[in-house]
Amino acid sequence: MTALLEIEGLTVRFGGRAVVDDVSLRLDAGERLGLIGASGSGKSLTALAAIGLLPDGATVSGSVRLAGSELAGGSDRELARVRGSRIGMVFQEPATALDPLMRVGAQIAGPVRRLTGASRSAAARRAVELAATVGLPDPEVLVRAYPHQLSGGQRQRVGIAIALAGEPDLLIADEPTTALDVTVQAEVLGLLDDLVRRRGTALLFISHDLAVVAQIARRVAVLADGRVREYGPVEQVLHQPRDPVTQALVAAARRTSWQAPAPVGTVGQGS
Ligand SMILES: Nc1ncnc2c1ncn2[C@@H]1O[C@H](COP(=O)(O)OP(=O)(O)OP(=O)(O)O)[C@@H](O)[C@H]1O
Ligand SMILES: [Mg+2]
């Protein structure tokens, strides 16, 4: 079967330094993969390389295929079409990902129009639907609000609605709950879990938090210094870590608040 996303030998360099080093990952349709590693290990750059949004000064080699089509080396125009329509991205800081001067409804409707060709009024209606889909209260009213009038959790729900605007096959979430407090974090995680399951969307979930990744992903790749150190089913990687880097991550998580993670698919239920 053709993978939905297949990354092979991806290397990203700044100057001579490889910050993503020969990374290979595979994600099938509807599958969930966690990408975990310490700060600076190359998680975000791996995701940004996959959607062709690397910062200036980065040179990239290797291959990124989406449903069999090569994206690496694609023109900006081709990549812009893929972004959003095939791949939706949720960023870490909902506050900075949104335009403070624009009503949230317009920020959802914009990509809906651009990616689906909907009319202005149809896109506005779709924005209200998407606001409801991501569990925003009173969506008809809320779409008229500005980002600063929302809570952090609500802003991240708007970020998720924007990522869903083009009905992507793959959602990449880069530390989507890190900026939120613990209760809200669990709610947003439950929402993501529910959304990808119901829509059959594949999920690449990036976090430095093992407990969080274990709740939402079935397979996990551990990155250190830009390299994949361990790659396999969550249970195996977390409960029988082979690589010293993974062992250290597990030990660190156990020292803080980590309990044995709930099995995949139980997030957000019963709360
Ligand atoms: N624009 C840039 N110029 C030079 N080096 C960069 C640039 N962006 C990132 N890097 C370097 O690349 C490495 C990987 O960065 P990346 O943002 O992918 O890490 P990360 O795993 O996402 O970390 P975090 O958990 O802090 O988000 C880091 O060492 C970083 O310093
Ligand atoms: Mg990052």
Side-chain angles (χ1 to χ4, degrees):
M1 193 174 101
T2 309
L4 176 62
L5 180 72
E6 191 156 29
I7 297 175
E8 257 176 16
L10 180 70
T11 298
V12 177
R13 285 196 170 79
F14 285 102
R17 188 166 81 105
V19 291
V20 175
D21 194 358
D22 197 22
V23 165
S24 299
L25 300 170
R26 177 194 166 107
L27 201 66
D28 287 324
E31 212 199 344
R32 298 142 173 239
L33 174 67
L35 191 55
I36 187 158
S39 184
S41 57
K43 304 181 298 293
S44 293
L45 289 176
T46 299
L48 292 172
I51 56 171
L53 275 183
L54 284 172
D56 289 342
T59 53
V60 59
S61 61
S63 150
V64 177
R65 283 189 298 273
L66 187 72
S69 307
E70 183 61 50
L71 296 184
S75 69
D76 285 352
R77 226 167 119 200
E78 284 161 354
L79 285 168
R81 210 177 47 230
V82 168
R83 271 197 298 274
S85 65
R86 306 295 306 270
I87 306 180
M89 181 103 189
V90 182
F91 295 94
Q92 173 169 346
E93 287 284 347
T96 51
L98 299 177
D99 182 341
L101 300 177
M102 207 193 237
R103 294 182 201 275
V104 301
Q107 299 192 53
I108 303 172
V112 169
R113 279 196 82 189
R114 187 166 53 78
L115 296 167
T116 69
S119 69
R120 197 175 288 272
S121 59
R125 282 196 302 278
R126 182 79 186 120
V128 174
E129 277 170 27
L130 281 167
T133 300
V134 297
L136 285 162
D138 217 347
E140 307 254 354
V141 177
L142 190 129
V143 289
R144 304 183 52 75
Y146 290 92
H148 76 268
Q149 295 170 310
L150 308 185
S151 70
Q154 290 174 337
R155 282 197 287 263
Q156 192 54 298
R157 287 174 192 266
V158 173
I160 295 169
I162 292 171
L164 294 176
E167 310 206 345
D169 311 313
L170 168 63
L171 211 54
I172 299 180
D174 188 357
E175 308 253 11
T177 63
T178 305
L180 307 172
D181 73 48
V182 180
T183 325
V184 180
Q185 184 170 330
E187 285 168 14
V188 171
L189 208 58
L191 169 70
L192 272 176
D193 183 62
D194 189 49
L195 283 173
V196 293
R197 184 184 347 200
R198 269 199 272 170
R199 298 169 167 248
T201 312
L203 178 68
L204 178 60
F205 188 93
I206 298 175
S207 178
H208 61 277
D209 188 334
L210 272 176
V212 169
V213 167
Q215 285 178 72
I216 198 142
R218 280 165 207 280
R219 286 189 308 127
V220 63
V222 180
L223 273 188
D225 295 327
R227 301 199 125 234
V228 176
R229 300 292 289 260
E230 199 154 348
Y231 187 26
V234 166
E235 298 77 33
Q236 183 200 311
V237 170
L238 299 190
H239 295 286
Q240 292 148 10
R242 281 185 299 237
D243 189 276
V245 168
T246 322
Q247 287 164 359
L249 280 170
V250 171
R254 284 197 198 285
R255 271 198 302 277
T256 53
S257 61
W258 192 45
Q259 317 259 303
V264 167
T266 60
V267 178
Q269 286 176 12
S271 60

